[in-house]
Amino acid sequence: MQRISADKWYEVRRLADDVTAIGEPYIQEFYRCNIWHVRGRDRDMLVDSGMGVVSLREWVPVVTERDLIAVASHTHFDHIGCHHEFECRAVHAAEADLLANPTRQNTLADPYVTDEIFDALPPEPYCSACYAVKRAPATRILQDGDVIDLGDRVFEVIHTPGHSPGGIALWEARTATLFSGDILYDGPLIEDTYHANAQDYVASMERLLRLPVRIVHGGHFPSFDGARYRQLIRAWLEGKGRTAPPARRFRPPAGFGPGNR
Ligand SMILES: [Zn+2]
Ligand SMILES: [Zn+2]
C-alpha cells in the first residue's frame, strides 16, 4: 500500500467560534477520529489527539502556538495517540489508568488496527502489527461537573459513560457547543466494546437530551446542529424501547450573537 509523507498526514480546517478540526484523511472514515482544537484567551484546548502515527506537534503548528491542555474524550487508540506529546493532559478518573498504562488490548488497537483501516499508510517505520499507543499519565484527573477554563471560554465536563467508563463530553453553555466524543456522533455508534455498559449508555443519552445544544462536534464523522442532535438521540432511545422525554431547545442568552463575544 502507498505511504503518505508526514507533511501530508493531517488535514486542518478552521471552523466558526475559534474551533479547528484536525483530521487524518488517509484513515477510513469509520475509524478516523476528529481532533478538535479550541482557541482560548489564556490557553487552548485539544479534544483528543488522533492515532499518534505522525507527530501532531511537529506537523500541525496550531497545537504549539499557545499553552494547551490536551483532553481525552476517552482512551481508545484513535483518540489518544499523541497525548504523550503534550505536557498538560486531562482524562476522566475512570480511564486515568488506561491513559497511564495503555496496551494494544485495552485501547482496542487489538483488534481494530490493521492495514485495512487505511486508504494509504502512515510514513515509515509505521507497522500495524507493532502499533501501540505511548503512555501519557494524566496531569489532571477530571470528574463530572469540573470546568476547563480557557480564560474567556469555559467547558463543563459531562461524564457520559456507556461507550467506555470514563467517556466525557465537553459543554460550553455560552455558545451551546458540545464536544461529544464517541457517546454520540452522526454515524454507527459502538456499544459493544469490552468496557461498554448498556445501562450507562441509556442514562448518558437521556442526560444529553436535556442539554439545549446548538452545535455538536463528535468523535467521528461531520459536525451537526441541535435539531439533528435531538433527532439522533430520540431515535436511538426509541430503538432501545425508551420513550424520549421532551427536548429543550437552545435559547440565546442576552448579548449572544456575532460580534458579541
Ligand atoms: Zn471510542
Ligand atoms: Zn473513536
Side-chain angles (χ1 to χ4, degrees):
M1 200 184 293
Q2 189 201 347
R3 297 239 179 205
I4 298 298
S5 57
D7 60 316
K8 303 214 165 55
W9 186 254
Y10 291 106
E11 179 183 71
V12 178
R13 253 177 332 118
R14 179 82 182 265
L15 311 180
D17 285 335
D18 283 336
V19 173
T20 300
I22 304 167
E24 299 175 272
Y26 296 99
I27 300 175
Q28 286 174 11
E29 189 177 29
F30 179 75
Y31 301 96
R32 182 194 311 153
C33 150
N34 292 321
I35 303 167
W36 300 107
H37 179 274
V38 183
R39 170 64 35 104
R41 186 192 64 208
D42 301 341
R43 62 201 311 218
D44 295 347
M45 173 172 76
L46 195 68
V47 182
D48 295 336
S49 64
M51 261 189 89
V53 293
V54 168
S55 166
L56 259 183
R57 287 193 74 93
E58 247 180 277
W59 298 103
V60 182
V62 72
V63 305
T64 56
E65 285 171 1
R66 314 274 296 278
D67 213 26
L68 177 146
I69 177 166
V71 183
S73 70
H74 64 301
T75 59
H76 292 154
F77 73 92
D78 46 330
H79 297 261
I80 56 161
C82 285
H83 265 62
H84 66 95
E85 297 190 331
F86 300 94
E87 233 169 78
C88 192
R89 304 176 289 259
V91 68
H92 187 272
E95 290 184 37
D97 188 47
L98 292 172
L99 196 61
N101 301 293
T103 67
R104 282 175 53 86
Q105 288 73 31
N106 68 17
T107 61
L108 296 180
D110 183 5
Y112 281 109
V113 179
T114 65
D115 286 359
E116 269 75 82
I117 70 169
F118 298 98
D119 288 331
L121 290 175
E124 299 276 3
Y126 174 81
C127 127
S128 291
C130 355
Y131 169 81
V133 170
K134 289 201 177 74
R135 63 190 304 272
T139 56
R140 180 173 172 194
I141 303 289
L142 301 172
Q143 303 283 357
D144 186 61
D146 283 355
V147 160
I148 295 173
D149 189 346
L150 308 183
D152 56 341
R153 319 184 60 160
V154 286
F155 290 84
E156 186 193 339
V157 173
I158 300 185
H159 184 207
T160 51
H163 171 79
S164 69
I168 57 167
L170 294 159
W171 168 240
E172 185 180 45
R174 185 178 64 81
T175 59
T177 300
L178 186 75
F179 292 93
S180 58
D182 278 6
I183 194 81
L184 177 72
Y185 45 73
D186 198 353
L189 299 177
I190 310 285
E191 301 167 38
D192 61 353
T193 68
Y194 72 95
H195 53 186
N197 181 301
Q199 233 177 327
D200 288 350
Y201 214 125
V202 169
S204 291
M205 286 295 222
E206 287 178 339
R207 183 173 177 199
L208 288 177
L209 189 58
R210 294 196 291 271
L211 288 178
V213 169
R214 188 180 60 96
I215 174 91
V216 186
H217 302 302
H220 298 263
F221 297 97
S223 301
F224 49 96
D225 67 10
R228 181 69 177 147
Y229 173 79
R230 286 174 275 279
Q231 182 184 47
L232 286 169
I233 298 179
R234 296 176 84 86
W236 187 91
L237 286 169
E238 274 153 29
K240 305 288 173 208
R242 314 284 292 201
T243 318
R248 289 175 57 196
R249 246 159 254 288
F250 175 64
R251 248 185 257 112
F256 179 88
N260 276 314
R261 313 220 20 191

